[in-house]
Amino acid sequence: MSCDPDSDELIFYVNGKKIVTKRADPEVSLLSYLRRELQLTGTKYGCGAGGCGACTVMVSTIHPVSKKILHYPATACLLPICSLHGMAITTVEGIGNSATRLHPIQERLAKAHGSQCGFCSPGMVMSMYSLLRNNPEPTIEDIMEYLSGNLCRCTGYRPILDGFRTFDKKCCSAERDEENMLPGMTTLKLFNRSDLLPLDPTQEIIFPPELMLMLNKPMKTSTYRGERVTWYSASTLPELLELTSKYPKAPLVVGNTNIGIQMKIQGIIPPVIISPLRILELYSNSTNDKGLVIGGAVTLSQLKQILQENISKSPPEKNKIFKALLQQLGTLAGEQIRSMASIGGHVISRAAISDLNPVLAAGGAMLNLVSKGGSRTIPMNEAFFTDPSALKPGEILLSVLIPYSGQNQFVSAFRQAQREENASAIVNAGMQVQFNDGTDVIKDIAIFYGGIGSTTMYAKNTSKALIGRNWNDAMLSEANSQILKEITIPPSASEGKVEYKRSLTCGFFFKFYAEVTQSMNKPLTSSINAPEYLSVTKDFEKKVPKTSQTFQDVKQPMQDPVGRPIVHQSAIKQATGEAIYVDDMPPMDRELSIAFITSERAHAKVLSIDDSDALKSPGVADMIRAKDVRGVNEVAGQGPLFSEQEVIGVGQIICAVVADTPEHAKIAAAKVKISYEDMKPLVITVEDAIKYNSFFEPSRQIIHGNVVEAFKKADQIFEGEMHIGGQEHFYMETNSVCVVPKGEDEYDIYLSTQDPTSAQLSAAVVIGVPSNKITSNSKRTGGAFGGKVTKSTIFAAAAAVAAQKTKRPIRCVLERNEDMLMTAGRHPIKGIYKVGFMNDGKIVAADIGMYANAGCTPDESILLITIALLKMDNAYYFPNFKCVAKACKTNLPSNTAFRGFGFPQSGMVTEVIMDAVAAKIGMPPARVRETNMYKGNAQTFYKQEFDSTNLMCCWNECLEKSSYLKRINEIQKFNRENYWKKKGMCAIPLKFTVGFIEKAYHQASALCHIYRDGKVLVSHGGVEMGQGLHTKMMQIASRELKIPISYIYISGTNTAAVANSIPSGGSIGADVYGLAVKMACQTLMERLQPYIKQQPNGTWENWVLAAFFNRTSLTATGHYRGYETDIDWQKSQGNIAPYYIYGAACSEVELDCLTGGHKNLRTDLVVDFGESLNPGIDIGQIEGGFMQGVGLYTMEELFYSPQGDMYTLGPDKYKIPAVCDVPTEFNVSLLAGSKNPYTIYSSKGPGETAVFMGCSVYFALKNALDAAREQRGLPKIFSLSSPLTPEKIRMACEDHITKMIPADKPGTFTPWSIDVTK
């Protein structure tokens, strides 16, 4: 963006290089500046809201008071460049690269197999680098703390932790105990720690001396003017107060973690921003006789350190408030945000989700305010939160006084979130009570809650009513009653979870009562002192994570790489930031950026489109409308490309704007005015679809045996429903496309996709150009998981229309919120079942109806219900089976393929049936599962025969390795002794098919060139998206050509080299492309044989050169026709897959019945991958898939309004598993001795398998809930849906608290959200 020439000079350093600019725009983030101005693309855009960590850099600055150099991690997407004056930035490029010197962090992440798609890797590296700059010998706890703000969707975090924990001197303690290993079992290493580069802190970049000298120079207020915002950076307190007096509504920005998100996500642009970063007085911290005084600009990370230091020096009775704050700081945001955000901003925001404000208010914190007119001190009380006039215009928060606690005072903090760390609290609280000397009579009490209203709420009436009361059960009862009356939550409250929030308000006070009671020296007569009740005050125990990975060693020459844990061939460059993704491509001459105008209604007629203001907006080149489409305005399976007549879902593209920068395009897009007229019916839920008979055709049905007769013979019959919510892909790289017109109607498309050919063909149809003039290219994709098969074609086609019209290159990079809205995700499914079974647990009949909420267009929904239906048996034999599957046509964004492709949902319905049968007959679920599992030579309900021996092998090995029976007894003992904490464990078997039923989608082609110098270039139709496909292809080529991997290169995937590629998915990429590569290599080796015979002692280079001079072709293709698969729906029979993958998972959890929170204690996975092509990659696929499944079944929750709007957009609203969610003990084993004659080198496809195994955590939670409900005398049979979130867990643990909660009668209010599976 252009800037005012009167702006001051901005000076900062990046990777040791001085940056001087007079064009600093306050709206430009460091991320944007790094990537566009400096071409440092290693720092990635992942979410734009500081929630994923992909853009992590290290900031170095001099503390204004101590003058010490500080190093801390920060999210570059939220850092305005105007805030960086006098600072030094280190990016991933600045610490090492593959050409000169790798940093040990980069090397260890790569060699530990911690980089799969690689998009998160630079952020991970820089978080770890920031830690090591502060602490060269960290503990694993330090490492996990610093990674708390980094998300990874591929690896499951285990290999990242294993790579980084090598910096911990005690890292060997992470290895699995020998006592947990079976006799004769050995655990090979996925990487060799002795080969790693040592860490040498003396080799790091020094802080620039010039910046140190700048401190001694006179400073003045700096001004930076942008197109819409002016930034003032004051140098003294009087200057700051002058500015706040002149601009009283201007926000003060320290870390920009609040204002930055408002500007980015909400579009709130303040005309003036004031920075207090250079104000000395705001950084001081001191103690006096009242407590600790903390400057307003002190960051939350610094506050944490200050509190720890004061706790270690002060007597316990004085630091209770400090400890409560420290507890909240341990889970508040991630380390990057804690290092950026200030306590002043946290307090002044008065945000409802603030974790510290309730504690500060309950503890009696005082706020020291200062303005041009003077200074004053106010209490942090109810008036501060609720009275808009509590702060006078022009006042700033100079410091916060955090009081010492007293002898008879108790202070506690509470919070519950969807995820333990780096997630906003659903409800939080701060509570303090003080007693009269020597008594249990309440002298003073304060109860504050967050997460409920628009700000922190004070239970004033409750607090007043309790003063003078004795601390006993009668007081507790009165307090709960008062809290429910005072802290009211309307049934239509934003964010929902109303009854759960009500339960937490009382539950937190109950826990406070228990903590205080147990802490008092005076003996009290209270039921809370019963031994089994003591667990209410215990937090989950934190242990050092332990892992093991077991795989079979290969007996072959060392030069043969197949079967070995070869490091992902792009891992080093991914860890250094050198790996190129679509948006890392340098900007092209005259390039334009595209922004979409999407539907805001779920079903409406478009009355008018007014783009006049948009066309006048700065930088705008043109509007892209339906009339600009020269071909067909439709993308197969997706409906109209530009929906200008009617919209049938929120997020559909109506038109687009192209401009010189992404920012200009987005600003212009916001100015387009769309008028709508709502249409009927509005179909949102499965129930709506049934009501209006709204389905995509055809439906699918399988009938096996005679269900009707079987039900007559069953001992028992049970009927039920299961609702499985959808899931967002949350690949780290959003959909990205560059379309380059080359003239003569030729176009190059560079895109992040799983299916380059469909993008090519779709663009050709839309722009009316022959497909042979369009080339699709995909070098690598930053994660996909099914979400970039069909959806990426939409953006490729739209960008192609724009490129055709403007004759200029078009770049399209979706914002995270746009991507989540426009591409949707996994299908929500409703399963209705009727099951007949015998008293010994044997199932004799099952009749199931399955409804998938497909959304507004067909996409791949028919194929999905087909696959989901045919895989529904999972590992079990159903002698009589009927299932009807339907795809519901609704007005939601259109759902699409997702890893597992329907099986994680349909298999879940089957496991619910197994669990229900066990509950009905009082048999352990594991026994019911084993009773019904396939055994020996078996036949599925679609009459495909197979040998299930390895299924039972996996099951038995998993039970044995996990010490299942022993631990079940230990868990039962634990549960008897603990009322409020429960443990649960569950083992789940797995039978999984790979591929697609349609034969055409199993074919694959490859192209292999040998150059005269002996180097080899391999091309194939598969896309590298983190699954290690290219690495495996290089291993195969290495074996077949008998040359080192270093001779072989795969540059990427493009439709000019290999045409008619199939989508990379279905877990068959290595299977089919591996065979194609093998065929091409074998052809070449046949051609080289005469020259090898002529020169038996020659070298590879000799043979290749001889062949060239003899005019022998050194180029060959390989084509694999694919598996022979089919299904006859009339006969309900077929061979739907070439082979099966087997496995078993056993997971143990501990849950908190009071809050619904839980901890994943241990998981053991055993999987049959045949003879693994690459155990390092395959084990990583298992772990990553498993953690994605944990998210699906226990955490990742999508919310929709009754009007069809999606609420859960972005990482602040939608939570995927983080490093804190990895099981404390995580053991993965590949089944030994397995053979698979149907594919390459007896291997099996690993990609999707383990997602379903994540449901073992769900059923472990269900097992713990069963124990809780049994102890409470509740029915054994009860309904639970997926995901099993803290809300659902808590409300299933019915007790005296939940019984107090008023329930709102359905139909008497409009709910905030609706369940689209119902």
Side-chain angles (χ1 to χ4, degrees):
M1 292 184 178
S2 61
C3 301
D4 193 310
D6 294 333
S7 289
D8 286 318
E9 197 171 67
L10 179 72
I11 300 173
F12 62 103
Y13 275 69
V14 175
N15 299 332
K17 179 182 177 182
K18 185 178 179 180
I19 306 295
V20 181
T21 179
K22 289 199 70 174
R23 294 171 48 81
D25 188 330
E27 290 188 69
V28 173
S29 69
L30 173 62
L31 176 64
S32 176
Y33 193 85
L34 289 172
R35 294 180 61 79
R36 285 196 224 142
E37 298 296 327
L38 303 183
Q39 291 299 298
L40 295 173
T41 56
T43 307
K44 306 300 183 190
Y45 167 83
C47 70
C52 72
C55 64
T56 301
V57 297
M58 188 182 78
V59 178
S60 301
T61 187
I62 298 175
H63 192 277
V65 178
S66 69
K67 307 303 181 186
K68 292 181 179 179
I69 297 171
L70 304 178
H71 306 291
Y72 61 87
T75 52
C77 67
L78 290 180
L79 275 180
I81 58 167
C82 294
S83 69
L84 301 178
H85 186 73
M87 297 183 184
I89 305 300
T90 306
T91 72
V92 69
E93 294 95 339
I95 70 170
N97 59 71
S98 61
T100 56
R101 173 187 173 270
L102 275 181
H103 194 280
I105 298 173
Q106 297 166 329
E107 183 205 36
R108 296 183 194 200
L109 179 68
K111 289 188 175 180
H113 306 277
S115 183
Q116 290 184 15
C117 87
F119 205 79
C120 75
S121 298
M124 294 285 181
V125 165
M126 292 313 298
S127 286
M128 189 66 195
Y129 182 75
S130 301
L131 170 59
L132 293 182
R133 287 301 298 265
N134 290 298
N135 180 7
E137 295 187 2
T139 65
I140 183 61
E141 291 83 2
D142 296 330
I143 294 168
M144 293 183 71
E145 180 180 319
Y146 264 70
L147 295 183
S148 61
N150 293 77
L151 297 179
C152 174
R153 198 53 153 164
C154 295
T155 65
Y157 301 99
R158 191 279 309 162
I160 297 172
L161 286 174
D162 275 7
F164 289 165
R165 76 191 313 160
T166 57
F167 293 105
D168 178 0
K169 300 301 182 184
K170 302 176 183 176
C171 70
C172 293
S173 64
E175 296 176 0
R176 190 178 181 188
D177 295 336
E178 292 297 325
E179 65 184 47
N180 291 329
M181 301 176 73
L182 298 180
M185 186 175 106
T186 59
T187 302
L188 301 170
K189 303 299 181 186
L190 290 175
F191 68 101
N192 189 347
R193 291 173 181 158
S194 64
D195 291 341
L196 301 175
L197 293 170
L199 178 67
D200 184 357
T202 65
Q203 298 301 304
E204 308 300 356
I205 297 175
I206 65 168
F207 189 77
E210 181 181 350
L211 296 184
M212 301 180 77
L213 294 174
M214 280 175 56
L215 282 177
N216 301 319
K217 294 180 180 179
M219 292 189 294
K220 64 179 182 64
T221 295
S222 300
T223 304
Y224 308 107
R225 303 183 193 277
E227 286 185 0
R228 300 189 293 176
V229 180
T230 299
W231 178 288
Y232 295 104
S233 183
S235 60
T236 66
L237 184 58
E239 286 180 3
L240 177 64
L241 298 180
E242 186 67 39
L243 286 168
T244 58
S245 175
K246 186 177 180 180
Y247 305 105
K249 293 184 179 179
L252 267 66
V253 168
V254 175
N256 204 40
T257 56
N258 184 23
I259 300 302
I261 291 175
Q262 290 180 11
M263 293 173 68
K264 179 81 174 180
I265 307 300
Q266 301 171 24
I268 300 172
I269 308 297
V272 173
I273 293 175
I274 301 171
S275 169
L277 282 171
R278 294 188 281 178
I279 309 305
L280 194 71
E281 292 87 343
L282 293 176
Y283 291 90
S284 63
N285 72 87
S286 60
T287 57
N288 58 33
D289 58 346
K290 293 181 180 178
L292 186 58
V293 181
I294 304 292
V298 171
T299 68
L300 300 184
S301 282
Q302 292 166 353
L303 173 63
K304 187 177 179 183
Q305 186 176 355
I306 293 166
L307 290 172
Q308 288 171 333
E309 291 171 356
N310 278 271
I311 288 170
S312 66
K313 293 187 294 188
S314 59
E317 67 271 10
K318 293 181 70 175
N319 58 38
K320 294 172 186 174
I321 300 172
F322 302 167
K323 285 184 176 179
L325 289 169
L326 199 58
Q327 177 184 320
Q328 299 296 66
L329 285 166
T331 52
L332 191 159
E335 186 61 26
Q336 298 94 323
I337 298 299
R338 290 193 294 264
S339 298
M340 298 162 65
S342 66
I343 183 173
H346 193 86
V347 168
I348 290 296
S349 72
R350 294 180 272 197
I353 59 173
S354 164
D355 284 341
L356 302 186
N357 285 356
V359 182
L360 290 168
M366 303 296 289
L367 307 179
N368 298 315
L369 307 173
V370 63
S371 67
K372 191 177 178 182
S375 62
R376 65 189 181 112
T377 299
I378 64 171
M380 198 169 169
N381 57 13
E382 181 186 31
F384 168 73
F385 295 111
T386 59
D387 185 355
S389 64
L391 295 177
K392 296 176 182 178
E395 278 188 323
I396 69 165
L397 177 57
L398 185 67
S399 61
V400 179
L401 169 66
I402 306 174
Y404 292 125
S405 52
Q407 185 76 37
N408 301 313
Q409 188 179 20
F410 299 88
V411 184
S412 291
F414 309 97
R415 77 186 302 270
Q416 182 57 50
Q418 193 83 342
R419 185 174 64 205
E420 183 183 1
E421 296 178 2
N422 195 18
S424 298
I426 298 166
V427 176
N428 55 36
M431 301 179 188
Q432 77 85 20
V433 64
Q434 190 170 9
F435 298 104
N436 290 323
D437 290 344
T439 73
D440 68 346
V441 176
I442 300 171
K443 179 180 179 181
D444 182 57
I445 189 168
I447 305 166
F448 284 82
Y449 291 104
I452 293 172
S454 59
T455 188
T456 300
M457 298 181 69
Y458 176 38
K460 179 168 64 176
N461 295 335
T462 304
S463 299
K464 285 183 177 179
L466 298 181
I467 293 175
R469 296 289 301 269
N470 292 93
W471 192 259
N472 54 28
D473 288 358
M475 182 280 301
L476 173 63
S477 179
E478 172 66 16
N480 284 331
S481 177
Q482 289 283 348
I483 288 168
L484 289 173
K485 289 178 184 177
E486 186 172 8
I487 307 298
T488 58
I489 309 172
S492 299
S494 178
E495 307 298 330
K497 301 182 174 72
V498 172
E499 291 183 21
Y500 176 48
K501 288 184 175 182
R502 290 169 181 164
S503 77
L504 288 175
T505 60
C506 291
F508 285 160
F509 187 80
F510 176 72
K511 187 172 182 179
F512 180 56
Y513 172 71
E515 288 180 352
V516 173
T517 300
Q518 292 176 23
S519 298
M520 294 176 76
N521 296 325
K522 185 174 182 289
L524 296 172
T525 55
S526 170
S527 60
I528 209 69
N529 284 332
E532 67 272 18
Y533 274 73
L534 296 179
S535 61
V536 73
T537 63
K538 295 178 182 176
D539 293 323
F540 296 126
E541 185 180 356
K542 290 193 175 182
K543 294 183 178 180
V544 174
K546 292 188 175 184
T547 67
S548 73
Q549 304 83 44
T550 306
F551 56 96
Q552 195 170 5
D553 198 7
V554 290
K555 309 298 183 186
Q556 62 197 36
M558 284 302 298
Q559 59 267 33
D560 183 351
V562 172
R564 303 187 192 279
I566 303 296
V567 171
H568 192 297
Q569 290 299 291
S570 295
I572 291 291
K573 284 186 165 57
Q574 289 167 182
T576 60
E578 296 170 272
I580 302 298
Y581 300 82
V582 172
D583 194 36
D584 298 337
M585 296 170 58
M588 296 168 222
D589 185 39
R590 302 178 66 243
E591 178 182 286
L592 296 172
S593 292
I594 190 168
F596 298 111
I597 295 88
T598 59
S599 166
E600 296 177 350
R601 304 288 179 88
H603 190 193
K605 183 184 294 183
V606 178
L607 299 178
S608 66
I609 301 171
D610 180 359
D611 57 16
S612 55
D613 289 343
L615 286 168
K616 298 173 188 174
S617 196
V620 169
D622 213 335
M623 291 293 301
I624 308 300
R625 304 280 298 270
K627 64 184 179 183
D628 300 315
V629 176
R630 297 185 188 177
V632 179
N633 183 34
E634 186 168 338
V635 176
Q638 308 299 323
L641 177 58
F642 297 106
S643 300
E644 292 196 357
Q645 304 299 319
E646 178 186 344
V647 291
I648 54 175
V650 175
Q652 279 191 295
I653 297 174
I654 295 175
C655 55
V657 130
V658 287
D660 57 351
T661 68
E663 291 79 13
H664 279 150
K666 291 180 180 86
I667 290 169
K671 295 178 179 179
V672 177
K673 301 178 183 70
I674 312 288
S675 297
Y676 303 92
E677 180 182 296
D678 287 333
M679 299 175 67
K680 301 291 183 182
L682 184 61
V683 181
I684 303 297
T685 67
V686 168
E687 189 176 288
D688 293 339
I690 295 172
K691 176 181 178 181
Y692 294 107
N693 193 31
S694 181
F695 300 102
F696 292 112
E697 297 296 338
S699 60
R700 295 300 190 195
Q701 177 177 277
I702 280 279
I703 299 175
H704 173 68
N706 191 325
V707 173
V708 175
E709 290 299 316
F711 276 125
K712 294 177 182 177
K713 298 175 182 178
D715 290 337
Q716 298 187 54
I717 294 174
F718 181 73
E719 298 183 48
E721 292 185 2
M722 181 59 187
H723 302 265
I724 302 121
Q727 186 179 25
E728 160 61 27
H729 298 91
F730 214 97
Y731 28 70
M732 296 305 294
E733 178 197 25
T734 60
N735 271 283
S736 305
V737 183
C738 284
V739 178
V740 183
K742 299 168 63 179
E744 300 184 35
D745 276 342
E746 292 184 32
Y747 296 84
D748 280 343
I749 301 176
Y750 301 89
L751 75 165
S752 177
T753 186
Q754 294 173 252
D755 191 358
T757 293
S758 287
Q760 171 200 23
L761 298 176
S762 296
V765 169
V766 169
I767 65 175
V769 168
S771 62
N772 57 8
K773 292 190 173 186
I774 297 175
T775 302
S776 279
N777 304 268
S778 182
K779 187 168 185 64
R780 62 173 56 81
T781 292
F785 315 114
K788 295 178 181 175
V789 176
T790 60
K791 298 299 186 182
S792 56
T793 63
I794 299 172
F795 311 114
V801 172
Q804 186 181 50
K805 182 180 183 182
T806 63
K807 297 181 174 57
R808 294 169 68 174
I810 301 294
R811 187 175 299 239
C812 168
V813 180
L814 294 190
E815 299 279 358
R816 175 62 61 183
N817 288 16
E818 291 177 313
D819 194 293
M820 292 180 74
L821 176 64
M822 298 171 72
T823 65
R826 191 184 297 278
H827 290 63
I829 280 184
K830 176 181 183 178
I832 305 171
Y833 60 87
K834 177 181 178 182
V835 58
F837 51 95
M838 310 308 289
N839 289 331
D840 63 357
K842 187 70 176 176
I843 293 173
V844 295
D847 188 346
I848 301 170
M850 187 169 59
Y851 297 88
N853 194 323
C856 60
T857 67
D859 201 275
E860 295 189 307
S861 295
I862 300 303
L863 180 58
L864 178 130
I865 62 170
T866 300
I867 299 294
L869 167 57
L870 293 173
K871 293 184 179 183
M872 181 166 260
D873 58 333
N874 185 23
Y876 309 109
Y877 172 63
F878 291 91
N880 301 282
F881 182 84
K882 177 185 177 184
C883 182
V884 177
K886 296 187 176 185
C888 301
K889 182 181 179 181
T890 65
N891 295 118
L892 291 180
S894 183
N895 288 305
T896 189
F898 201 137
R899 195 177 193 176
F901 205 62
F903 173 62
Q905 299 101 302
S906 64
M908 184 66 169
V909 174
T910 301
E911 293 302 333
V912 166
I913 290 173
M914 295 296 157
D915 204 70
V917 170
K920 287 292 289 183
I921 62 176
M923 183 181 287
R927 193 181 306 170
V928 172
R929 288 184 166 93
E930 189 167 326
T931 297
N932 289 284
M933 282 167 63
Y934 288 112
K935 297 176 181 69
N937 292 322
Q939 187 184 73
T940 66
F941 57 68
Y942 44 85
K943 301 181 179 64
Q944 181 167 338
E945 296 181 347
F946 68 102
D947 181 357
S948 66
T949 300
N950 281 359
L951 171 63
M952 291 308 299
C953 287
C954 289
W955 175 257
N956 291 329
E957 186 173 320
C958 184
L959 294 184
E960 190 172 0
K961 285 186 172 180
S962 64
S963 305
Y964 182 81
L965 294 177
K966 174 190 173 187
R967 287 166 58 210
I968 279 288
N969 291 329
E970 293 170 351
I971 287 170
Q972 290 171 349
K973 181 177 182 293
F974 176 90
N975 289 340
R976 287 192 298 270
E977 296 172 354
N978 294 274
Y979 185 84
W980 292 105
K981 296 289 191 299
K982 296 295 177 188
K983 290 185 178 181
M985 188 163 69
C986 183
I988 298 287
L990 168 78
K991 175 180 69 69
F992 184 81
T993 62
V994 300
F996 311 94
I997 296 168
E998 178 59 51
K999 297 176 187 177
Y1001 287 97
H1002 292 155
Q1003 64 180 305
S1005 298
L1007 175 67
C1008 187
H1009 298 303
I1010 304 176
Y1011 294 96
R1012 276 184 279 174
D1013 63 355
K1015 298 301 185 287
V1016 175
L1017 178 67
V1018 174
S1019 298
H1020 60 88
V1023 175
E1024 176 57 60
M1025 49 197 177
Q1027 83 281 42
L1029 181 60
H1030 287 352
T1031 303
K1032 289 182 176 180
M1033 297 306 99
M1034 293 166 73
Q1035 288 176 273
I1036 291 167
S1038 173
R1039 169 180 277 189
E1040 294 299 326
L1041 298 176
K1042 298 179 176 58
I1043 58 175
I1045 280 185
S1046 59
Y1047 279 43
I1048 303 163
Y1049 186 66
I1050 298 178
S1051 67
T1053 307
N1054 79 76
T1055 54
V1058 177
N1060 302 314
S1061 59
I1062 61 170
S1064 294
S1067 301
I1068 61 168
D1071 289 13
V1072 297
Y1073 287 115
L1075 287 167
V1077 168
K1078 179 182 178 183
M1079 292 173 182
C1081 291
Q1082 287 178 337
T1083 298
L1084 290 169
M1085 286 302 286
E1086 287 175 11
R1087 294 175 188 169
L1088 290 175
Q1089 280 307 307
Y1091 311 105
I1092 296 172
K1093 289 180 180 177
Q1094 289 171 12
Q1095 305 179 58
N1097 297 319
T1099 64
W1100 167 258
E1101 289 82 356
N1102 296 150
W1103 302 329
V1104 168
L1105 203 58
F1108 170 75
F1109 282 112
N1110 200 37
R1111 296 172 296 173
T1112 300
S1113 173
L1114 294 173
T1115 292
T1117 61
H1119 182 75
Y1120 174 58
R1121 284 177 52 82
Y1123 307 121
E1124 296 297 325
T1125 52
D1126 62 81
I1127 182 70
D1128 185 329
W1129 291 105
Q1130 296 300 317
K1131 297 180 180 178
S1132 292
Q1133 70 178 50
N1135 289 291
I1136 71 163
Y1139 62 86
Y1140 295 103
I1141 294 172
Y1142 307 106
C1146 180
S1147 291
E1148 180 185 354
V1149 300
E1150 182 179 346
L1151 65 82
D1152 185 337
C1153 298
L1154 189 67
T1155 65
H1158 78 271
K1159 184 73 176 173
N1160 299 328
L1161 299 180
R1162 176 174 169 175
T1163 290
D1164 293 86
L1165 304 177
V1166 178
V1167 185
D1168 169 21
F1169 277 167
E1171 294 184 357
S1172 170
L1173 292 176
N1174 186 321
I1177 288 173
D1178 289 350
I1179 288 174
Q1181 288 288 289
I1182 294 172
E1183 293 164 334
F1186 173 79
M1187 289 305 297
Q1188 203 167 62
V1190 169
L1192 167 65
Y1193 297 119
T1194 70
M1195 182 183 300
E1196 299 178 41
E1197 195 167 24
L1198 293 168
F1199 289 101
Y1200 299 88
S1201 77
Q1203 292 75 41
D1205 294 297
M1206 185 188 289
Y1207 289 132
T1208 35
L1209 299 174
D1212 57 326
K1213 300 293 184 184
Y1214 185 80
K1215 299 300 175 186
I1216 69 171
V1219 69
C1220 59
D1221 300 297
V1222 179
T1224 304
E1225 184 172 346
F1226 199 5
N1227 305 309
V1228 178
S1229 298
L1230 301 185
L1231 186 70
S1234 175
K1235 303 289 184 182
N1236 179 27
Y1238 303 103
T1239 188
I1240 184 83
Y1241 305 148
S1242 201
S1243 64
K1244 293 185 178 183
E1248 302 172 286
T1249 310
V1251 174
F1252 174 72
M1253 299 170 93
C1255 78
S1256 61
V1257 175
Y1258 175 100
F1259 286 103
L1261 288 167
K1262 170 68 165 49
N1263 180 244
L1265 279 173
D1266 288 340
R1269 290 176 63 88
E1270 181 181 11
Q1271 192 172 26
R1272 289 157 171 76
L1274 299 170
K1276 291 182 179 180
I1277 304 295
F1278 61 105
S1279 296
L1280 279 177
S1281 60
S1282 173
L1284 190 47
T1285 59
E1287 175 190 14
K1288 294 170 186 173
I1289 292 171
R1290 174 63 186 112
M1291 301 316 290
C1293 292
E1294 298 175 35
D1295 51 44
H1296 68 282
I1297 293 175
T1298 58
K1299 289 175 182 175
M1300 291 189 294
I1301 306 304
D1304 302 300
K1305 185 178 179 181
T1308 62
F1309 64 94
T1310 301
W1312 174 74
S1313 68
I1314 56 173
D1315 186 342
V1316 299
T1317 68
K1318 292 185 177 178

